[in-house]
Amino acid sequence: MKERPSFPARLDFSGSPVKSRAPLARVATVASPASKPAAPLLASGLGLDSSAVRLNMVKKLAAQGITDSGVLDAMRAIERHRFVDSALVGQAYEDTSLPIGLGQTISKPGVVSRMIELLRQGTSVKLGRVLEIGTGCGYQAAVLSQLAEEVYSIERLRGLHDKASDNLRHLHQANLHLLFGDGMLGYALGAPYAGIIAAAGGEAVPQAWIDQLAMGGRLVAPVSAGANSPGKQALVVIDKTPQGCKQTVLEAVHFVPLKSGLA
Ligand code: SAH
């Protein structure tokens, strides 16, 4: 990975730690026995068995350079078609972002696998606690739940928080906790986190995320490329070490904006 310290991610590691805030309004663990009916695969032309389509997607991800077998296995296990509206089921295994309502999108499989591979730092063991900012429809949270001991995923839009709860119910993952709240503040009650992953891009990485990252932990987030490149974002990796935080700037990406407050 190349280091570009000049990147204007506006990080300030010298500031005083952010005080923990009041608990978020609602924490829901996704382990209810009720299960959602399968999406209408036949009607969409996906066929009766989506596992072959998913295997094909995973082969493409490997060809694109994803080498972490844990990530590839999780991408193969999670049924992405369950996280999109029925009219879009036929495109669920294409490497494309798709609308999920309220102006938001489900991330591309290529980006989800790339970011989680980075988050795992090359280890094959499960991560400890992970915080995801931007649950959206819950797809990435589902993939993370296969690869981490505990996943806390925050969404600021009530409609999507509720949609993710419905979408994730069939997995019965007791280690996956959905939160309705402002992810800019992180989630202090679950800290420290072995990994923090953001699915929305802001002007800078909030100090709360750095404070809530465990020593030895890694944060992966899209960040605005700054005044010289308006509208552009890059993927940023931050490693928290006893010597300080090390920031690495990677490829250009395109994520929905990180916004504050609830809606
Ligand atoms: N993780 C999703 C991606 C959803 S898109 C997937 O699996 O595809 C990113 C999401 O981030 C949107 O739903 C948006 O509402 C949410 N978001 C933006 N700013 C946020 C904030 N401050 N706190 C929590 N969620 C936020």
Side-chain angles (χ1 to χ4, degrees), residues 13-101:
F13 304 126
S14 59
S16 58
V18 167
K19 299 251 180 336
S20 63
R21 311 272 180 139
L24 291 156
R26 178 172 149 190
V27 183
T29 295
V30 184
S32 155
S35 109
K36 187 189 178 189
L41 296 184
L42 273 177
S44 69
L46 197 55
L48 254 188
D49 179 7
S50 65
S51 62
V53 195
R54 225 163 18 258
L55 179 58
N56 198 32
M57 176 190 82
V58 165
K59 281 183 180 159
K60 285 185 189 156
L61 294 174
Q64 280 170 34
I66 303 297
T67 56
D68 184 329
S69 59
V71 172
L72 292 171
D73 287 349
M75 298 295 290
R76 192 171 164 188
I78 299 301
E79 299 175 325
R80 191 169 183 257
H81 66 264
R82 287 179 179 264
F83 295 84
V84 298
D85 290 343
S86 50
L88 298 171
V89 161
Q91 295 169 65
Y93 296 104
E94 289 170 16
D95 195 17
T96 177
S97 53
L98 295 167
I100 53 173

Side-chain angles (χ1 to χ4, degrees), residues 58-150:
V58 165
K59 281 183 180 159
K60 285 185 189 156
L61 294 174
Q64 280 170 34
I66 303 297
T67 56
D68 184 329
S69 59
V71 172
L72 292 171
D73 287 349
M75 298 295 290
R76 192 171 164 188
I78 299 301
E79 299 175 325
R80 191 169 183 257
H81 66 264
R82 287 179 179 264
F83 295 84
V84 298
D85 290 343
S86 50
L88 298 171
V89 161
Q91 295 169 65
Y93 296 104
E94 289 170 16
D95 195 17
T96 177
S97 53
L98 295 167
I100 53 173
L102 301 177
Q104 309 302 319
T105 52
I106 181 172
S107 304
K108 289 162 72 153
V111 171
V112 170
S113 50
R114 166 82 169 136
M115 289 178 78
I116 300 178
E117 182 172 76
L118 286 168
L119 198 71
R120 274 164 50 95
Q121 308 191 35
T123 67
S124 55
V125 292
K126 271 198 174 181
L127 287 167
R129 275 198 304 278
V130 168
L131 175 67
E132 180 194 37
I133 291 96
T135 314
C137 61
Y139 174 67
Q140 180 168 270
V143 178
L144 285 168
S145 75
Q146 311 290 297
L147 299 165
E149 302 287 351
E150 299 289 335

Side-chain angles (χ1 to χ4, degrees), residues 80 83 98 100-108 112 132-142 153-157 160-161 179 181-185 198-201 209 255-262:
R80 191 169 183 257
F83 295 84
L98 295 167
I100 53 173
L102 301 177
Q104 309 302 319
T105 52
I106 181 172
S107 304
K108 289 162 72 153
V112 170
E132 180 194 37
I133 291 96
T135 314
C137 61
Y139 174 67
Q140 180 168 270
S153 180
I154 305 190
E155 174 57 55
R156 64 178 286 276
L157 299 177
L160 287 179
H161 168 78
L179 306 143
D182 183 356
M184 298 264 259
L185 309 174
W209 300 358
F255 279 82
V256 297
L258 182 71
K259 294 187 175 171
S260 57
L262 306 179

